[in-house]
């Protein structure tokens, strides 16, 4: 019988993957996956820090505006100055009627601004909203301190605001009261907590009085 002969590959020519080739492929996949996972972790960490800094910046700007508004509150006849005529020569006495700027009496010292109903305080939650720690409304995520100095006596103040929050993985304060835990003038000293526990953002502006 004549015709075209069919040639079939022999069993010896039908090669599969050897164990070594499979192991090499799996090793390459593992190395590539490790890089992807590491990149994902860096991205998540970067986004978290950017979010924290954004909220801290919002808090810092809020406090500078509060201090500017406080600088206008000494004007006569404010309730605290019913017996004081606030002339340009008597501004030093008039500033005692402000809410927070009165702390200029101890210049160049960080202090925790007092909570004032309807005006705010030092503590903020994770969204940058005011929290009253004494009431335990929510855990404190950010805390703020203020430092004041005269630029021009009885005319212009230098106001500094620092906002701080726990570093990633840092152990939170008991009861979530970050502001109560961190004493302004011993923050970072042996008497309080290590400075390396926090991230800080600083803001500065002038305040007329």
């Amino acid at each position: 019988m004549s015709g075209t002969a069919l040639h079939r590959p022999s069993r010896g020519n039908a090669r599969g993957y050897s164990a070594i080739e499979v192991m090499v492929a799996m090793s390459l996949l593992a190395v590539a996956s490790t890089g992807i996972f590491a990149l994902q972790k860096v991205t998540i960490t970067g986004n978290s820090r950017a979010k924290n800094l954004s909220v801290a910046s919002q808090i810092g700007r809020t406090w500078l505006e509060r201090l500017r508004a406080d600088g206008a509150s000494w004007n006569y006849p404010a309730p605290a100055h019913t017996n004081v005529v606030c002339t340009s020569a008597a501004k030093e006495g008039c500033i005692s009627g402000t809410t927070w700027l009165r702390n200029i009496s101890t210049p160049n010292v960080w202090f925790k601004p007092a909570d004032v109903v309807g005006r705010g305080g030092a503590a903020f939650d994770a969204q940058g909203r005011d929290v009253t720690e004494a009431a335990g409304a929510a855990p404190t995520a950010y805390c703020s301190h203020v430092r004041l100095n005269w630029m021009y006596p009885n005319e212009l103040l230098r106001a500094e605001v620092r906002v701080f929050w726990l570093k990633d993985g840092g152990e939170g304060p008991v009861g979530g009261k970050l502001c109560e835990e961190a004493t302004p003038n011993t923050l970072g000293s042996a008497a309080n907590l290590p400075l390396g526990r926090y991230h800080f953002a600083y803001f500065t502006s002038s305040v007329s009085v």
Side-chain angles (χ1 to χ4, degrees), residues 22-52:
V22 172
M23 291 176 64
V24 169
M26 292 180 65
S27 299
L28 292 174
L29 178 61
V31 171
S33 299
T34 301
I36 293 173
F37 293 146
L39 180 61
Q40 183 181 33
K41 180 179 179 180
V42 169
T43 301
I44 293 173
T45 301
N47 288 341
S48 175
R49 290 181 178 176
K51 178 259 182 185
N52 287 333

Side-chain angles (χ1 to χ4, degrees), residues 84-124:
V84 178
V85 178
C86 296
T87 64
S88 59
K91 283 187 177 180
E92 180 106 32
C94 295
I95 203 171
S96 64
T98 60
T99 301
W100 300 294
L101 296 182
R102 66 176 67 185
N103 289 278
I104 189 62
S105 58
T106 52
N108 204 36
V109 173
W110 289 107
F111 66 92
K112 182 179 74 172
D115 292 340
V116 178
V117 177
R119 297 184 65 186
F124 296 82

Side-chain angles (χ1 to χ4, degrees), residues 162-174:
R162 71 179 178 191
V163 181
F164 60 96
W165 61 99
L166 288 171
K167 289 186 174 180
D168 297 336
E171 182 181 352
V174 177

Side-chain angles (χ1 to χ4, degrees), residues 12 69 122 135 144 156 206:
S144 52
L156 194 65
S206 58

Side-chain angles (χ1 to χ4, degrees), residues 8-18 21:
R8 297 182 179 179
S10 64
R11 289 180 179 272
N13 292 331
R15 294 185 63 240
Y17 294 105
S18 67
E21 290 173 327

